[in-house]
Amino acid sequence: MALLTFPSSPFHFFSPRRIPRRPSFVCSFSAATNARSRPAILWFKHDLRLHDHPGLAAAAQTHSFLLPLYVFDHRILSRYSDDMLELLLFALEDLRNSLKEQGSNLMVRFGSAENIIKELVKEVKATDLFIEEEVEYEMRQLIAVVKETLETSSCLDGNLDIVLWRTPFYDIKNLKELPASYNDFKKLKLLPTSPPLPATLPVAETELNWGPLPTFSDLTDFIKERIGKSRVSWNLMKEKTAEAILKDNFSNLSGTKPKSLNVESNERRRLDKSVFVTRKGDIVGGGTNSVLNALAAYLRYLEGTARDDWQEVHERLRNAETREGASFTSLFGPALSLGIISRRTVHYEAIKYEKERNAGFLSPFGYSAATVAAAADAVCSMEWFSLLALKSQLSNEGLYSLRIWRWRGHLIQYTVVGHEGPAILLVHGFGAFLEHYRDNINGIAERGNRVWAITLLGFGKSEKPNVVYTELLWAELLRDFIIEVVGEPVHPVGNSIGGYFVSIVAGLWPALVKSVILLNSAGNVIPEFSSRRFSNERQNIAAAGLVAQLLLFYLRLNIRNTIKSFYPTKSDRADNWLINEMLRASYDPGVIMVLESIFTFDLSIPLNYLLEGYGERVLVLQGMKDPLLDSKAKLAMLKEHCTGLVIKELDAGHCPHDEQPQEVNRIICEWIAAVERKQTADSYL
C-alpha cells in the first residue's frame, strides 16, 4: 500500500496505516507521478461525489486512465435502511451523470467486491487501486479481504498498489499524536482546511461494459437473496420502532385502535424537483449539487425566501428541530454518511455564509445564525469522533481491541472477546463505557463464552450527536447491535440505566434475548401495570441546557468523591484511570445534550411488565450498599411482583461488577451455563 504525498497539492494526505503485504506489492508512490500511463481503479463506497474528493483528484493527477467503480456488495448494502438504499440509488445516478459530463463514467457491478475488483484489475491491467480509508470494523475487514485476494491471485503480475486516502478536515501530521481529550485538542487551535478545486478527469474508454443501475426493487431482491431468509426475518425486527410496539401493545390491552405515529409526514407537500427524494420525504438527498442547494437554504433559514424548493427545506427544518440544532443531523446526516457531500465542504459553506452576514468577519462570541452553528458544530463533532475512532484502529491503546460500528450514521465503539460458547452482551450505566467491565470481559470469556461489550451512543468514545436521547433510542441501538453485529440471541447484562435498556429489549424483542442479567438496574416495579396506557409525552424542563451545564460543572468538581461513593466496600476500585476516563468524556462535544436526557427519562414502563414471561430466566445481582436506592425495598418489590426471577445479594455498591468482579463473573458464568443446559434440554422435549 502506497503512502500518498503531493508536495504541490493544496490539501494534506494523512499517512495511512500500512496493511501487511508481500514485498512485490510495495512501491514508491512518488514514482507514480511520472507514470501517467498506468491505469487505475477508484472504488467508490461512502464517497459518492466528485467535489472535494482527494482520492479522485490524486488518481486523475497521476493516471491517464481511471476506472470509477461502485460495487453493490451485500455486506455493505445489508447495513442500510430502505431510506438509505433509496438515497444511495439517487446519489449513484447523479454521480454517473456528473462523471459523464467530464467524459468519464461509473462502472456498476453486483457481487463480492474482492472478486469484481480482481477481475477488473486483470481486464484493464490496473496498477493502482484507490480506496477511501474506513473506520468501521466490517468495512476495514472488507478492504483487507480485497487486498488479500489481490495479493494471492495467480492471474495478476504482482505490481498493483493499494492507495488509502482520507479527506483531511484538519491538517494533522500524525494521527497517533491526537490528544485523547477534546479539551486538549481545542488548545491546538487547528483550523479546518478548505476544499480544493474540482479535478479534471481523464476520458473513459467507451467500449467498456459500464453496467446498468438497478431499481429499488431489484436492489432489495438482491440483498434478500444474498443474506438469506433467516437474516431477512431478523432485519424485519428493526423496521418497527419501540414506541410503535408499545403503542400497539397497550392499545390491544385497552381495546382501542392505535393512532398513526407520523400522520404529519403523510400531509407534507412534495415538489417535482424536491431534494427530499425518499418516500418518507424527511431527509436531504440526490446528488452533490442538490445537497449543496439544500444546505444553502438551510443556512439562510432566517432570511426567508420565495423559492419553493427553499421553502420546502425550511418546512422540514422546523419539523426536524426536536431540540436546538438537531435538524441539521436529521436532514443532512444520511447524505454525509454516504459521502454525497463532505464534512469539510459543509463547514466551508457555513463559515462562508457567516462571513457574508458579518462583513467578512467571524465573531469571537459565537455564530450569528443558529443554522450556521448547527451545521458547523455538527461536522466538527463528527470529525472529532471520526479521528478518535480512526486512532483506535491504528493503535492498540487501551484495555481491549476496539472496533467501530456505524449506527444510523453515528460511530459506536465495541469489543468482542472469545471464539465459542454462548453470546453475552455487557451494557454499562449512565456516564460509563465498555471499559467499565474491564475485569469482566476477559474473565467471563475465559470460562467458555463469547463476550461483546458496547459503549452506547453519547458515552465514552462513542459519538455524541445532537439528537434527543431517550431510553427507547438506546434500546433500539441495542436491538440493532444484536441483529447486525452479534447475529444471534444473547444473554444481555445491564448495570444501572443499562439494565433498564436491556429490559426494554427483552420485553419488546424477546426473540433476541435468552436470559436477562440485571446489576443494580434502574426501573420501577408497578403492580397491576397492565391497566395503564403508554404515553410518549415527556416532561420538558425549562432551561434544561443551562441546568445540564451546571450539573456537568458540579460533577467535574466532585467526580472523585461521587464515584468512590459507588464503591463502598472497595473504594480503591474507583481509581485514577476510571475517573480520568470519565473526565475525558465529559469534555467531548455533545455531552451537554446527553446530560439533558436525565431530566426527560421515562421509567414508567415497569420492570415487572417488561420481564413478564421470562420467569426463571432473569438474574438480579444487587449490591446491597447502593447509595442511589434502597436495595432491600427494591428487591422486596421484585420478589413480590416478578415471578420466578433469581436474586443474588452482594456486598457491594452501585457497580458490583467492577467492585466485586471475580464473584460477579462466577455467578454470571454459572447462571448462563445453567440456562443454556435447560434450554438445550427443553429443545429435545
Side-chain angles (χ1 to χ4, degrees):
M1 181 180 66
L3 176 63
L4 193 54
T5 55
F6 288 96
S8 60
S9 174
F11 45 87
H12 172 72
F13 284 88
F14 291 101
S15 301
R17 180 178 63 168
R18 292 181 175 270
I19 303 174
R21 60 184 301 165
R22 297 185 306 180
S24 61
F25 271 69
V26 177
C27 73
S28 171
F29 199 83
S30 59
T33 57
N34 300 317
R36 286 187 55 83
S37 61
R38 293 168 50 161
I41 296 174
L42 188 142
W43 178 19
F44 284 99
K45 303 188 308 303
H46 300 124
D47 52 326
L48 307 182
R49 63 184 185 274
L50 303 187
H51 183 269
D52 193 18
H53 195 299
L56 189 65
Q61 180 180 344
T62 56
H63 296 79
S64 60
F65 174 78
L66 175 62
L67 178 66
L69 170 69
Y70 186 85
V71 181
F72 286 97
D73 189 310
H74 71 280
R75 290 165 293 185
I76 300 175
L77 301 173
S78 61
R79 304 170 306 142
Y80 293 160
S81 65
D82 285 352
D83 279 354
M84 288 294 285
L85 290 176
E86 288 184 84
L87 212 63
L88 170 67
L89 291 176
F90 280 105
L92 289 175
E93 181 181 16
D94 182 84
L95 180 61
R96 170 171 274 185
N97 291 335
S98 299
L99 285 166
K100 286 182 176 179
E101 290 175 1
Q102 293 209 37
S104 184
N105 206 333
L106 177 68
M107 180 165 285
V108 173
R109 291 289 185 270
F110 284 79
S112 299
E114 62 271 23
N115 294 330
I116 288 171
I117 291 174
K118 180 185 72 173
E119 293 304 317
L120 287 175
V121 167
K122 180 181 177 183
E123 179 180 351
V124 303
K125 297 180 174 56
T127 58
D128 295 282
L129 173 63
F130 288 78
I131 308 175
E132 183 183 21
E133 189 167 18
E134 301 277 359
V135 297
E136 298 169 71
Y137 175 77
E138 295 297 335
M139 292 302 301
R140 292 176 72 86
Q141 290 295 102
L142 180 56
I143 292 173
V145 169
V146 170
K147 180 258 177 187
E148 182 180 3
T149 300
L150 295 174
E151 282 184 348
T152 58
S153 176
S154 59
C155 64
L156 303 180
D157 57 11
N159 65 347
L160 179 77
D161 196 49
I162 298 176
V163 184
L164 297 183
W165 62 272
R166 299 183 61 246
T167 302
F169 195 93
Y170 299 106
D171 187 10
I172 299 177
K173 304 301 182 183
N174 187 353
L175 194 58
K176 292 185 178 180
E177 297 177 0
L178 179 78
S181 167
Y182 189 66
N183 196 42
D184 293 335
F185 177 73
K186 288 190 296 183
K187 294 176 183 178
L188 299 178
K189 296 182 179 180
L190 298 176
L191 297 177
T193 58
S194 299
L197 296 174
T200 300
L201 304 182
V203 177
E205 295 185 16
T206 57
E207 64 270 18
L208 291 172
N209 176 16
W210 295 95
L213 284 171
T215 65
F216 177 77
S217 178
D218 292 336
L219 191 54
T220 53
D221 288 345
F222 168 76
I223 297 171
K224 290 176 182 177
E225 178 184 346
R226 290 303 180 99
I227 67 177
K229 292 183 179 180
S230 60
R231 180 71 181 274
V232 169
S233 64
W234 265 53
N235 285 344
L236 288 175
M237 281 189 275
K238 298 189 297 182
E239 294 185 358
K240 200 166 188 178
T241 66
E243 181 180 320
I245 293 173
L246 287 167
K247 280 182 174 290
D248 285 349
N249 290 350
F250 293 122
S251 295
N252 291 336
L253 287 172
S254 62
T256 60
K257 184 177 180 180
K259 296 180 180 180
S260 170
L261 293 177
N262 199 15
V263 175
E264 184 181 13
S265 67
N266 297 326
E267 298 174 350
R268 294 172 181 168
R269 62 191 182 94
R270 293 289 302 279
L271 303 176
D272 290 338
K273 296 183 179 180
S274 174
V275 296
F276 298 93
V277 294
T278 65
R279 283 170 290 182
K280 288 184 178 179
D282 56 359
I283 54 177
V284 171
T288 300
N289 289 335
S290 294
V291 176
L292 283 171
N293 177 55
L295 178 62
Y298 181 89
L299 295 173
R300 290 160 178 79
Y301 174 71
L302 293 179
E303 295 181 7
T305 180
R307 292 178 52 173
D308 287 346
D309 57 341
W310 282 25
Q311 287 181 3
E312 187 186 28
V313 172
H314 294 172
E315 178 189 353
R316 300 299 195 276
L317 185 161
R318 290 189 290 271
N319 293 332
E321 193 76 349
T322 50
R323 64 170 316 283
E324 185 178 354
S327 56
F328 178 80
T329 301
S330 177
L331 297 179
F332 293 90
L336 283 163
S337 293
L338 289 177
I340 301 172
I341 188 173
S342 70
R343 295 191 290 268
R344 179 165 64 174
T345 295
V346 169
H347 189 272
Y348 175 81
E349 294 294 331
I351 298 304
K352 184 175 72 171
Y353 174 63
E354 179 71 6
K355 289 180 178 179
E356 290 174 4
R357 288 175 54 85
N358 295 281
F361 296 98
L362 291 177
S363 169
F365 305 107
Y367 299 111
S368 62
T371 49
V372 172
D377 290 346
V379 293
C380 287
S381 177
M382 291 175 189
E383 183 66 16
W384 165 248
F385 288 106
S386 180
L387 291 173
L388 277 184
L390 186 59
K391 180 183 178 182
S392 72
Q393 305 306 291
L394 301 181
S395 63
N396 293 318
E397 298 176 358
L399 298 174
Y400 302 98
S401 174
L402 295 175
R403 298 180 179 182
I404 304 298
W405 170 57
R406 190 181 296 274
W407 183 69
R408 298 182 182 177
H410 309 305
L411 302 178
I412 307 296
Q413 287 199 339
Y414 73 98
T415 191
V416 56
V417 178
H419 302 287
E420 59 183 7
I424 300 168
L425 174 59
L426 305 179
V427 182
H428 61 80
F430 199 92
F433 29 79
L434 69 85
E435 291 93 344
H436 199 204
Y437 287 98
R438 49 187 165 174
D439 290 328
N440 308 106
I441 296 174
N442 282 329
I444 296 174
E446 288 169 356
R447 298 191 182 206
N449 302 290
R450 287 169 298 146
V451 180
W452 280 262
I454 185 173
T455 298
L456 297 171
L457 189 76
F459 300 107
K461 293 182 180 178
S462 286
E463 200 165 336
K464 300 172 179 61
N466 188 347
V467 299
V468 176
Y469 292 89
T470 69
E471 66 288 342
L472 299 184
L473 176 81
W474 278 305
E476 289 174 359
L477 183 151
L478 292 175
R479 172 201 64 190
D480 294 352
F481 184 80
I482 296 169
I483 292 172
E484 295 183 19
V485 180
V486 181
E488 64 181 89
V490 301
H491 298 271
V493 180
N495 173 231
S496 190
I497 193 67
Y500 190 64
F501 303 156
V502 160
S503 298
I504 295 175
V505 175
L508 303 189
W509 301 282
L512 303 179
V513 175
K514 287 186 171 183
S515 76
V516 179
I517 303 167
L518 304 179
L519 305 170
N520 286 58
S521 176
N524 303 313
V525 176
I526 303 177
E528 300 179 0
F529 176 76
S530 59
S531 62
R532 295 171 173 257
R533 294 190 61 192
F534 170 71
S535 172
N536 63 343
E537 293 186 4
R538 295 178 182 273
Q539 182 180 4
N540 293 320
I541 304 298
L546 176 60
V547 176
Q549 290 182 15
L550 293 174
L551 176 61
L552 180 62
F553 179 73
Y554 171 82
L555 291 174
R556 285 174 179 165
L557 288 178
N558 296 276
I559 188 169
R560 187 173 298 275
N561 291 333
T562 301
I563 298 303
K564 281 188 177 295
S565 71
F566 293 170
Y567 293 74
T569 61
K570 290 187 178 180
S571 60
D572 59 308
R573 293 290 293 174
D575 54 19
N576 289 335
W577 173 85
L578 179 62
I579 291 168
N580 289 337
E581 279 298 302
M582 289 187 170
L583 277 175
R584 187 218 64 78
S586 75
Y587 287 98
D588 276 342
V591 72
I592 292 295
M593 292 167 278
V594 184
L595 274 177
E596 286 181 21
S597 67
I598 292 177
F599 308 113
T600 58
F601 270 147
D602 183 3
L603 306 184
S604 63
I605 308 171
L607 295 175
N608 52 301
Y609 171 81
L610 293 171
L611 301 176
E612 185 179 5
Y614 277 85
E616 297 179 354
R617 291 188 293 135
V618 178
L619 171 65
V620 176
L621 296 178
Q622 188 73 22
M624 300 306 292
K625 297 179 180 178
D626 191 337
L628 298 184
L629 54 84
D630 186 338
S631 293
K632 290 184 178 180
K634 179 72 171 284
L635 293 184
M637 290 294 288
L638 286 170
K639 289 177 182 178
E640 182 178 355
H641 299 286
C642 297
T643 305
L645 56 76
V646 176
I647 295 175
K648 299 286 186 180
E649 298 182 6
L650 301 173
D651 184 24
H654 189 64
C655 310
H657 60 287
D658 195 37
E659 192 172 8
Q660 304 283 358
Q662 286 76 25
E663 184 177 2
V664 169
N665 293 348
R666 177 187 61 79
I667 296 172
I668 288 177
C669 290
E670 291 176 357
W671 163 264
I672 290 174
V675 171
E676 290 285 329
R677 283 195 302 269
K678 187 176 188 305
Q679 290 181 348
T680 300
D682 290 346
S683 67
Y684 286 99
L685 296 179

